[in-house]
Amino acid sequence: MALQHLTDEQIATWTRAQKDEWWFKNVFRGDMAQLTLRSGFTGFLLGGILSATGLYIGAKTGIAIGVGLTSVILAFALFRALHASGFAQDYTILENNCTQSIATAAGYVITPLFSSLAAYMLVTGVIPAWWQLMIWIFVVALIGVLLAFPLKRRFINEDQAPFPEGRACGVVLDSLYHGAGDEGIFKAKLLGVVGGFTAIYQALVSDGWMKLIQFKILMLDKWAGLKEPWHLHERLDQYYYAWAGKTTALIPTILGTDIRQLGLRFTLDAAMLGVGGLMGIAVATSCFLGAFINFVVLAPLMIQAGDIAPRIGADGVLVPLNRAEIVNQWSLWWGVTMMVVGALVGLLAKPEIFKSAFKRKAPAAKADSSDLLKDIEVPLWISYIGVPVFSVLGSYVTHVFFDVPFWLALVSLPLIFVLTIICTNSMALTSWTPTGSLSKITQFTMGAIDRSNPGSNLLPAGMTSEIASNAANLLSDIKPGYMLGGKPRHQAIGHIIGNLAGVLFCVPLFFLLFLTPDANGVRSVATLVSDQFAMPAALQWKGVADIIAKGLKGLPTSALISMGVAALAAVVMEVARIKTKGRFQLSAVATGLGVVLPPESVLAMFIGAVVFFLMGRKHKTKGTQGWRVWVDGMEPICAGLISGAALMGIGNAIINVLI
């Protein structure tokens, strides 16, 4: 059925009481199941699993991927199949919406694990206890949820803000349940087939899975004398280097530096192909440009000049040059400068985000004092009591767990709340949450007050990111529920369930994947950043913290020059995007991201983006099979590539720990 909505004139002239009455009479479905035991349990499991894939991708790329539409399709297909088999009643549209709300909350709550918290560990060398991370993330996320309830009445009920991403999810849900044909089942099958083949491929390139199959199941080490498990190489250039052998003349170099030291490898990474498809050709091209400039042009020049060189490690052993050393010694500075300046320019170029966030529309008539939705909405007293209580609690645990002065954490909260309102308004208008640039405002502000303690800027900034993200994403999740007639209370409870799922699934996984103990059982931050998991977001946060703590005096002159040029280039690129109204599509933020990402991952993302771009150009006619697969089915295909590769990659890491 067609989704009902108010006209622009009604939005502009009606009071909130009139809008609430219209919604209650025409849209609200009070008798339809929403937050049921099965929708809550399904959302909890899907959210936990999909948040694990989000942690995997975030550690590789620094990008927090949304899992809302993936969970919608999976839940729809699961219960449609169970209903057809006679095992369960079909899912209602509101149950599905509640499931996606839980899963989305789980996917976003884990962002600090590959950004601010990981940066804190890198800077201080301290690894907090797992239970401390769980408590801090959940408490801070809950502040964002509590802060969202009053904002919901303003942005959704009164202003009827678009929330484009949330609206798109509502449209997809409506088309799945009320549209013609079997598009929902087709997308689910597409996701399942791609995910299945990707999982098989990932198993074939994983030493852990092959060890399990060949040694523990087939016992090839016992009766066939197999010493090492056979597996395909994900890095395809390994076949070339194996053939080239020790003939150094066949090893490509740039200005005398082996391209493998520069990280220039060719890897068939299925997850990165999917990420590239989702990010689009413009962003992927910007990342590719940053990686090319840094690793093909600048890094070889700086190695030749001696500004990047092998060093003696803390254990007295020579650390050879590799991609991570190149980034940490030199490239990080201009890459971070480009990301921060680009994000801030992009934010400041949208003054309406600031103006409209604090400006109320004048209603045409005096609002009715009665609250028609008081038994449906979350009572405001919960926020009025909960926000101060959990703000004090959040400041206290930040002080106890991370040694941040209690008063400093508390003083940062008013700034965080203001930035959260700005972030929410941005999400309402554009589906863009500028948490990165807003958190840097907190980071620099708190750093100016206390330069000696890196936690004093990293943790309040991490709170900014987490609170703003949860508030904005909860409202974006409530938007499809509002469109479909759902109960706001149920979605709010679902968001908390999702936060809990993400924390319970991903904090143990964080220790398992990135903080593997050595032979003596000791965990070290030295394993946090690797070729497989570059942690680019954490490196960005760490770079800003290092600048705050140490200044720029210890950097080589070439690094300072590169930062100045990068800042200027970022301003030029963002201004060009604004002046051309998006026709100039290169992004300064994405270009800087390409500097800190492994070049092999950037290349895989670029290839994925190019494939979907070309197939989209080829299959332009809506309704054709090619259009259904490559255009309308782009997100299910990418979700299949990401989930299949990520889940098998996580499984491979677990197997390697256990075997």
Side-chain angles (χ1 to χ4, degrees):
M1 66 178 186
L3 292 170
Q4 300 187 66
H5 58 85
L6 295 172
T7 65
D8 291 341
E9 182 181 355
Q10 289 169 329
I11 293 171
T13 58
W14 281 13
T15 64
R16 196 184 81 194
Q18 289 174 309
K19 295 168 185 173
D20 287 348
E21 182 180 3
W22 171 86
W23 179 83
F24 186 79
K25 291 180 178 179
N26 295 281
V27 183
F28 179 57
R29 301 175 182 179
D31 57 347
M32 182 178 286
Q34 182 171 347
L35 181 57
T36 59
L37 183 62
R38 64 176 185 170
S39 68
F41 184 69
T42 304
F44 184 87
L45 288 181
L46 279 179
I49 294 170
L50 293 174
S51 67
T53 68
L55 177 62
Y56 183 89
I57 297 301
K60 277 178 167 284
T61 68
I63 299 170
I65 59 171
V67 298
L69 288 178
T70 304
S71 64
V72 164
I73 294 170
L74 288 175
F76 172 81
L78 172 65
F79 279 92
R80 185 59 57 92
L82 289 174
H83 176 67
S85 304
F87 290 108
Q89 290 185 339
D90 199 5
Y91 233 26
T92 70
I93 190 172
L94 292 183
E95 282 181 302
N96 198 321
N97 178 64
C98 201
T99 295
Q100 75 83 19
S101 187
I102 295 170
T104 302
Y108 281 110
V109 77
I110 51 91
T111 304
L113 289 173
F114 58 82
S115 56
S116 56
L117 289 176
Y120 172 82
M121 296 179 206
L122 289 172
V123 172
T124 63
V126 175
I127 301 175
W130 60 268
W131 57 270
Q132 292 178 332
L133 296 182
M134 282 187 174
I135 291 173
W136 187 86
I137 293 173
F138 186 75
V139 168
V140 173
L142 195 55
I143 298 172
V145 174
L146 291 168
L147 199 60
F149 300 154
L151 297 177
K152 184 261 179 186
R153 301 195 183 200
R154 153 75 196 283
F155 285 102
I156 292 180
N157 293 36
E158 184 170 347
D159 292 354
Q160 301 280 311
F163 286 97
E165 189 174 307
R167 179 169 181 80
C169 194
V171 171
V172 169
L173 274 166
D174 185 65
S175 65
L176 287 178
Y177 283 86
H178 303 117
D182 59 346
E183 287 304 307
I185 296 296
F186 176 76
K187 289 181 179 180
K189 288 180 178 177
L190 197 58
L191 191 156
V193 169
V194 173
F197 278 109
T198 302
I200 293 171
Y201 163 74
Q202 199 66 36
L204 291 174
V205 300
S206 301
D207 59 338
W209 285 107
M210 291 296 100
K211 192 186 302 180
L212 175 67
I213 294 170
Q214 295 169 34
F215 289 176
K216 298 300 181 181
I217 298 177
L218 299 179
M219 301 292 184
L220 294 180
D221 56 331
K222 298 286 195 298
W223 60 269
L226 193 65
K227 301 296 183 183
E228 293 291 333
W230 171 90
H231 63 89
L232 293 173
H233 292 301
E234 192 174 42
R235 283 177 167 168
L236 300 182
D237 57 0
Q238 282 187 247
Y239 294 106
Y240 170 78
Y241 291 119
W243 171 77
K246 296 181 179 179
T247 308
T248 55
L250 296 175
I251 304 300
T253 62
I254 300 176
L255 297 179
T257 301
D258 189 328
I259 65 169
R260 289 172 293 183
Q261 290 182 293
L262 298 167
L264 300 175
R265 313 291 300 262
F266 182 57
T267 304
L268 187 56
D269 189 330
M272 294 301 98
L273 294 175
V275 172
L278 290 177
M279 67 170 42
I281 190 67
V283 175
T285 301
S286 300
C287 284
F288 185 79
L289 176 65
F292 183 88
I293 292 173
N294 187 65
F295 293 102
V296 177
V297 180
L298 296 180
L301 287 172
M302 293 304 105
I303 292 171
Q304 195 175 54
D307 285 352
I308 303 175
R311 62 179 179 86
I312 303 297
D315 53 1
V317 178
L318 182 70
V319 180
L321 276 183
N322 54 38
R323 184 205 63 84
E325 279 295 309
I326 290 169
V327 170
N328 288 330
Q329 286 189 35
W330 194 86
S331 306
L332 175 68
W333 305 107
W334 81 267
V336 167
T337 299
M338 201 147 201
M339 283 189 278
V340 172
V341 173
L344 291 175
V345 172
L347 180 64
L348 294 173
K350 296 181 173 69
E352 69 276 6
I353 291 175
F354 296 90
K355 294 176 182 177
S356 61
F358 303 100
K359 183 174 71 175
R360 299 187 66 85
K361 295 179 181 178
K366 186 177 180 180
D368 191 345
S369 59
S370 63
D371 188 355
L372 185 64
L373 307 183
K374 64 181 179 180
D375 296 325
I376 300 170
E377 296 277 12
V378 177
L380 291 180
W381 66 263
I382 292 179
S383 290
Y384 296 152
I385 295 175
V387 169
V389 169
F390 279 91
S391 294
V392 172
L393 180 59
S395 300
Y396 177 73
V397 297
T398 302
H399 165 64
V400 173
F401 296 166
F402 304 105
D403 199 30
V404 175
F406 177 72
W407 69 270
L408 190 62
L410 206 58
V411 162
S412 69
L413 288 171
L415 174 62
I416 291 172
F417 294 154
V418 171
L419 296 178
T420 298
I421 294 172
I422 295 170
C423 185
T424 302
N425 192 62
S426 177
M427 170 68 92
L429 297 175
T430 67
S431 279
W432 171 57
T433 51
T435 50
S437 51
L438 293 177
S439 63
K440 295 301 171 283
I441 294 174
T442 309
Q443 196 171 356
F444 279 115
T445 303
M446 295 300 106
I449 298 173
D450 183 5
R451 292 172 60 93
S452 60
N453 181 7
S456 295
N457 67 76
L458 283 168
L459 273 302
M463 291 173 71
T464 300
S465 179
E466 189 71 345
I467 292 171
S469 175
N470 271 273
N473 283 297
L474 174 56
L475 292 182
S476 187
D477 287 342
I478 287 177
K479 180 66 177 184
Y482 184 84
M483 294 164 58
L484 300 168
K487 306 175 184 70
R489 288 186 185 184
H490 285 198
Q491 284 190 272
I493 296 169
H495 207 81
I496 296 172
I497 294 172
N499 286 344
L500 186 61
V503 168
L504 291 177
F505 273 73
C506 288
V507 170
L509 185 62
F510 176 82
F511 280 83
L512 185 66
L513 287 179
F514 314 123
L515 297 172
T516 309
D518 59 18
N520 299 317
V522 178
R523 300 182 189 273
S524 166
V525 297
T527 61
L528 198 53
V529 178
S530 64
D531 283 343
Q532 184 181 9
F533 300 108
M535 289 284 178
L539 290 179
Q540 180 190 357
W541 284 69
K542 175 182 179 294
V544 174
D546 286 342
I547 291 174
I548 291 170
K550 304 173 185 176
L552 303 174
K553 295 178 182 178
L555 297 180
T557 303
S558 59
L560 296 175
I561 294 172
S562 71
M563 291 173 69
V565 174
L568 180 61
V571 172
V572 170
M573 290 172 72
E574 291 305 312
V575 169
R577 276 161 55 97
I578 296 163
K579 291 294 184 182
T580 62
K581 296 182 179 179
R583 289 193 298 274
F584 180 84
Q585 296 189 4
L586 291 179
S587 163
V589 176
T591 302
L593 180 62
V595 175
V596 295
L597 282 173
E600 56 194 290
S601 296
V602 174
L603 179 59
M605 290 191 295
F606 180 68
I607 291 172
V610 169
V611 168
F612 282 100
F613 173 75
L614 293 177
M615 296 307 291
R617 295 287 296 270
K618 181 179 179 181
H619 301 287
K620 293 181 178 180
T621 306
K622 187 174 181 179
T624 62
Q625 186 65 11
W627 182 87
R628 288 181 76 201
V629 172
W630 291 103
V631 180
D632 197 39
M634 184 268 288
E635 286 193 354
I637 291 176
C638 293
L641 288 168
I642 292 170
S643 57
L647 293 175
M648 294 302 285
I650 293 167
N652 186 68
I654 295 173
I655 291 169
N656 278 325
V657 170
L658 298 178
I659 299 180

